[in-house]
Amino acid sequence: MSDPKKSQSAAQLLAQGETQQAIAQLTAQPHDEASQVQLRELYIGENDVEKAMPLLQTMASTDSAEGLVSASILALIQQDLTAAVSLAEQALQRQGDLATAYNHLGRALQNSGQSGKAIKSFKTAIRLDPYYAQAWHNLGHTRRALGVMDEAVSHYQKAIECQGGYQSAWYNWAITQSVMEQHEGALKTFDQLLKINPQHTLAWVNQGLAWHVLGQLEKAIECYDRAMDLDPDLAMVYSYKGVLLNEMQQSEQAIRCLQHALSLDPNEIDAWCELCDVYEKTNQLAAAEQANAKALALDPQHPTALIDAARIDKRNKQFAAALAKLEQIQVAALPVRKATEYWFERGAIADHSGDYEAAWQAYRQANELARQSPRFQAVDATAFEQRLAGIRQQIATLQPPPKATLWQRLRGQGTNQTTAVDDPELGSDLCFLVGFPRSGTTLIDTILSVHSQVHSIEEMPTIETVIKAIGQAGGQHRDPQWLASADWSHWRQLYWQQLKQHATVSPGQLVLDKLPLRFLEVAFIQQLFPAARFVFMLRHPGDVVISNFMQNYVPNQAFVHFSRIEEAVDMYAQCMEVWQQLAPHLGQQLMTVKYEALVSQPQTVVDKLCQFLRIPFQAEMLDTDRRLATRARVSTNSYAQVAEDINQGSVSRWRNYQAQLAPYQDQLQALIKAFGY
């Protein structure tokens, strides 16, 4: 016989989240059927088969309706779906109002692919017992499987109301939020689950994924590392961390992490896909092809593997084969982030194939999808405009460019500062490589990096750290009054400290500090380092705008403006108008290099550049293999282009899109004329 009071007491404890107390109370009643049923449901609901098994075996041996329910559960565990359905139906023949029988009949039906009947069974179980947490939870599962996410969430929440410590319900609620791209909400739900059980490995893994999607990479790593501590043999977490390390461009670490995931589980297809991606981005195409072949062998229709295969075909100039790979993918079924990648790749293939209208439409689709990402939406779209406004105010305060620039004055005869231009502390061994993104800065960087007297720092926040520190100290790096009284020695020292974190520079080496959009801050940089030089890469405005529109960038305050062509044109025009006002202040400290001249006459241009930098020309700078050997990985989207021999294939690409650029021709024409195109 069952004691209803004991069952009610345990139910109250479960509702309050006092799970362990409830378990202790139920375990102390081995001969009370209702208590044992509650315990069984609790264990099965949490998928703890090991603890449930003794109960199931004992109860299945009894001649009762609940005994038949237990037998049905055992059959489901053994994947005997026909028996599981039959035994649950026999239990209902024995006791027609048994909520547990309807619940487990629903589970068996759902696993048999009969979702409609399963939903009906779960709803009947809930009608018979409105506080049946596991039935609410299972109904949520069924609704999620059908894509009805809002209802699934409400059912998981109802399960938690009935059983506050129901870990599986908390977990699946958070997972559903992640699927719905509600990542901040998912993080809060995972936090609640981890308060209940700090040892929940999969909660740590998926919390890491949520942080990763939101761009909080360090927090994601912390979660992955915690999961690894809890379960060192869980292949998926090493795979996910490898994905993150690849995004952080820590290629060697990413490869090690992914290879470890595959040593734990050779069938971890996501690890094979990411390994392919690392190899492709580091221009190891043979290794990328091998990893891709492994992924496709596991699942020939895996979307990521097919996109990777298409990308490799594209790089091998097999454009028809690449397109055929993409056409195998059901795009409508892809999550937004993967669909974005698909359309960018499709655009690139169409562009290389000469189908420019198809390419344009693909890039438009890709960019519109990119705008839906949580990272994109988290960026303040007005911040860059505000930055430009601040720079314009700064320009208004600058004195007109002197007839003799500071560089010329320092070199002038008869002054007591003739050696200042050769003072490393003032930047005599510094060159800042700048230019609008996609203007050729990466190409010239890899060329100069080969030189024995040059050390390149590629896109590290050296100057930016100084500017940030000035702001934290209450200063304004664009304010003439602050600049007039600045302790330049202190801020230079901070720069050199930052530089040492990213590179070991030998005495006498020229430091090439590259960050394209840093040209907007040259007025400050020149005051900080009056002896430094600047190389500005210039490219046809049409090619620059088109190329930026075609890039799958990680969103930041600048790059979010490239997702629509009208914004890309406007941003480019504003930045280059600012540059036209700043450039004269650099005088002879500035050399402008046209991309078109560089790729058509590389030796002539590089020789002139070497003269400007006061280093001897070295022929090996133009050797493709030597250029690639200077770094483990090119950190920009230009990694594939710079892996090729210097060529003119990207010159005048804008002509293929004249119709699309026509509405902005007037805006671009003034700059085209000003830059001599």
Side-chain angles (χ1 to χ4, degrees):
M1 295 292 292
S2 297
D3 185 344
K5 291 183 179 179
K6 293 176 181 177
S7 297
Q8 291 172 4
S9 175
Q12 289 173 355
L13 289 170
L14 289 170
Q16 295 165 5
E18 304 292 345
T19 306
Q20 294 307 314
Q21 291 91 324
I23 289 174
Q25 183 173 305
L26 294 170
T27 304
Q29 308 296 325
H31 304 298
D32 182 77
E33 185 181 66
S35 296
Q36 297 307 291
V37 167
Q38 281 182 291
L39 200 56
R40 179 193 70 194
E41 296 300 296
L42 181 63
Y43 289 146
I44 291 297
E46 296 289 18
N47 200 30
D48 194 340
V49 175
E50 183 178 354
K51 289 182 179 177
M53 192 60 73
L55 280 170
L56 291 168
Q57 291 171 340
T58 299
M59 296 180 73
S61 65
T62 64
D63 183 23
S64 68
E66 286 292 3
L68 289 167
V69 172
S70 293
S72 173
I73 297 170
L74 285 170
L76 185 58
I77 292 171
Q78 294 162 5
Q79 295 297 305
D80 188 345
L81 302 180
T82 301
V85 171
S86 176
L87 288 163
E89 288 175 340
Q90 291 177 44
L92 288 170
Q93 290 171 5
R94 186 77 62 89
Q95 185 178 336
D97 61 351
L98 189 58
T100 56
Y102 278 108
N103 177 50
H104 292 287
L105 174 60
R107 293 178 66 228
L109 290 167
Q110 179 66 19
N111 280 272
S112 301
Q114 302 179 63
S115 297
K117 291 182 178 180
I119 290 171
K120 184 177 180 180
S121 288
F122 292 136
K123 287 185 174 180
T124 302
I126 291 167
R127 178 175 56 78
L128 292 167
D129 182 358
Y131 301 100
Y132 193 171
Q134 287 73 27
W136 282 110
H137 176 263
N138 293 332
L139 182 58
H141 260 4
T142 306
R143 301 308 284 165
R144 188 172 77 186
L146 294 173
V148 190
M149 299 300 178
D150 289 337
E151 286 190 25
V153 165
S154 69
H155 296 330
Y156 292 135
Q157 291 172 330
K158 189 64 178 181
I160 291 167
E161 288 177 20
C162 299
Q163 186 176 312
Y166 196 169
Q167 295 180 40
S168 185
W170 281 105
Y171 177 76
N172 283 298
W173 177 15
I175 291 294
T176 307
Q177 288 175 295
S178 294
V179 172
M180 297 169 70
E181 303 285 352
Q182 297 174 3
H183 299 288
E184 293 180 354
L187 287 169
K188 293 178 182 178
T189 308
F190 280 127
D191 278 340
Q192 291 299 317
L193 172 55
L194 289 167
K195 287 178 182 178
I196 296 168
N197 179 12
Q199 310 300 310
H200 200 298
T201 304
L202 291 179
W204 285 111
V205 172
N206 285 281
Q207 189 172 57
L209 282 172
W211 282 123
H212 189 174
V213 170
L214 292 172
Q216 300 289 328
L217 304 189
E218 295 300 330
K219 290 183 178 180
I221 285 179
E222 290 176 9
C223 293
Y224 292 151
D225 287 346
R226 184 65 180 271
M228 289 175 183
D229 290 339
L230 293 169
D231 188 351
D233 296 326
L234 186 62
M236 75 164 70
V237 69
Y238 292 94
S239 180
Y240 293 153
K241 186 173 180 180
V243 172
L244 187 150
L245 291 169
N246 184 25
E247 181 177 330
M248 296 174 72
Q249 302 193 2
Q250 298 179 17
S251 302
E252 292 183 6
Q253 293 182 42
I255 289 170
R256 286 197 298 270
C257 214
L258 294 165
Q259 288 177 337
H260 186 66
L262 291 166
S263 72
L264 294 170
D265 182 2
N267 295 323
E268 182 66 37
I269 190 169
D270 290 336
W272 284 116
C273 290
E274 197 66 23
L275 197 58
C276 171
D277 190 76
V278 181
Y279 286 138
E280 191 268 332
K281 283 185 167 61
T282 53
N283 294 305
Q284 302 177 67
L285 291 187
E289 288 175 357
Q290 291 175 6
N292 182 244
K294 292 283 189 180
L296 288 171
L298 290 170
D299 182 358
Q301 297 302 312
H302 193 282
T304 300
L306 287 169
I307 292 172
D308 290 339
R311 186 177 294 117
I312 293 169
D313 283 342
K314 178 193 68 180
R315 292 198 61 176
N316 289 327
K317 304 189 185 307
Q318 298 173 358
F319 304 123
L323 185 59
K325 300 282 195 326
L326 292 185
E327 287 180 343
Q328 296 179 49
I329 299 171
Q330 296 182 4
V331 189
L334 296 177
V336 170
R337 187 165 42 168
K338 188 58 61 177
T340 302
E341 182 183 356
Y342 169 92
W343 284 110
F344 271 115
E345 200 58 46
R346 184 145 190 159
I349 292 166
D351 177 73
H352 285 290
S353 301
D355 190 349
Y356 302 117
E357 179 58 31
W360 185 260
Q361 295 304 324
Y363 283 125
R364 284 187 61 187
Q365 179 72 7
N367 277 300
E368 287 305 310
L369 287 168
R371 294 174 69 90
Q372 298 177 26
S373 78
R375 292 194 195 183
F376 191 106
Q377 294 178 3
V379 175
D380 180 0
T382 67
F384 197 80
E385 181 67 39
Q386 293 170 7
R387 179 184 178 188
L388 287 174
I391 294 169
R392 292 190 188 96
Q393 291 179 356
Q394 177 190 28
I395 291 172
T397 68
L398 295 176
Q399 296 296 320
K403 294 181 180 179
T405 65
L406 177 61
W407 176 263
Q408 293 169 312
R409 294 200 306 276
L410 291 174
R411 281 193 169 278
Q413 296 297 318
T415 73
N416 58 7
Q417 301 185 71
T418 55
T419 61
V421 72
D422 297 316
D423 186 348
E425 286 300 311
L426 297 181
S428 62
D429 292 335
L430 266 177
C431 176
F432 292 95
L433 176 55
V434 296
F436 204 86
R438 307 297 297 174
S439 293
T441 54
T442 300
L443 176 59
I444 200 69
D445 179 39
T446 60
I447 290 172
L448 289 171
S449 294
V450 176
H451 200 289
S452 59
Q453 296 178 26
V454 174
H455 194 107
S456 172
I457 309 296
E458 189 183 20
E459 306 204 2
M460 294 297 175
T462 52
I463 287 291
E464 291 65 35
T465 299
V466 175
I467 291 174
K468 182 178 180 181
I470 288 171
Q472 291 173 337
Q476 296 287 338
H477 76 286
R478 299 193 189 106
D479 181 0
Q481 292 185 345
W482 183 88
L483 292 169
S485 60
D487 181 357
W488 293 111
S489 177
H490 170 75
W491 300 116
R492 287 173 192 140
Q493 188 62 35
L494 178 58
Y495 173 87
W496 295 119
Q497 290 172 1
Q498 287 299 308
L499 196 70
K500 289 177 182 178
Q501 292 184 21
H502 303 297
T504 302
V505 181
S506 302
Q509 274 192 311
L510 174 72
V511 174
L512 187 68
D513 194 347
K514 173 212 169 192
L515 190 65
L517 278 172
R518 190 181 280 153
F519 71 80
L520 296 170
E521 303 295 351
V522 295
F524 167 73
I525 297 172
Q526 189 182 43
Q527 294 217 41
L528 184 63
F529 291 111
R533 281 157 286 179
F534 299 83
V535 172
F536 185 87
M537 286 301 302
L538 185 66
R539 187 180 179 191
H540 190 286
D543 280 336
V544 174
V545 169
I546 287 291
S547 186
N548 278 292
F549 181 68
M550 293 176 172
Q551 302 308 308
N552 189 8
Y553 285 124
V554 175
N556 62 28
Q557 291 177 354
F559 292 169
V560 294
H561 296 287
F562 297 143
S563 63
R564 287 180 176 159
I565 191 64
E566 61 271 21
E567 288 188 41
V569 170
D570 187 61
M571 178 189 169
Y572 174 78
Q574 289 193 61
C575 288
M576 298 309 284
E577 287 165 4
V578 165
W579 173 244
Q580 287 177 290
Q581 298 175 69
L582 288 172
H585 293 272
L586 300 179
Q588 293 182 353
Q589 290 168 260
L590 169 67
M591 179 175 178
T592 298
V593 176
K594 280 192 173 182
Y595 172 81
E596 294 80 5
L598 175 63
V599 297
S600 63
Q601 298 179 302
Q603 182 166 333
T604 300
V605 172
V606 173
D607 184 44
K608 290 180 180 178
L609 183 56
C610 288
Q611 293 177 39
F612 171 72
L613 297 174
R614 293 182 290 166
I615 56 177
F617 175 80
Q618 295 178 352
E620 55 265 32
M621 288 190 292
L622 301 179
D623 182 85
T624 301
D625 291 336
R626 291 291 300 275
R627 289 193 294 110
L628 288 180
T630 60
R631 62 198 64 194
R633 177 170 178 168
V634 174
S635 67
T636 70
N637 285 27
S638 303
Y639 69 91
Q641 291 94 321
V642 299
E644 300 175 354
D645 293 338
I646 297 173
N647 64 80
Q648 300 182 59
S650 295
V651 174
S652 296
R653 289 177 71 195
W654 67 272
R655 294 184 185 279
N656 302 322
Y657 299 94
Q658 289 187 75
Q660 290 81 6
L661 286 175
Y664 318 104
Q665 191 61 34
D666 291 345
Q667 197 171 4
L668 291 173
Q669 191 58 44
L671 293 170
I672 291 171
K673 182 177 179 180
F675 298 143
Y677 287 102

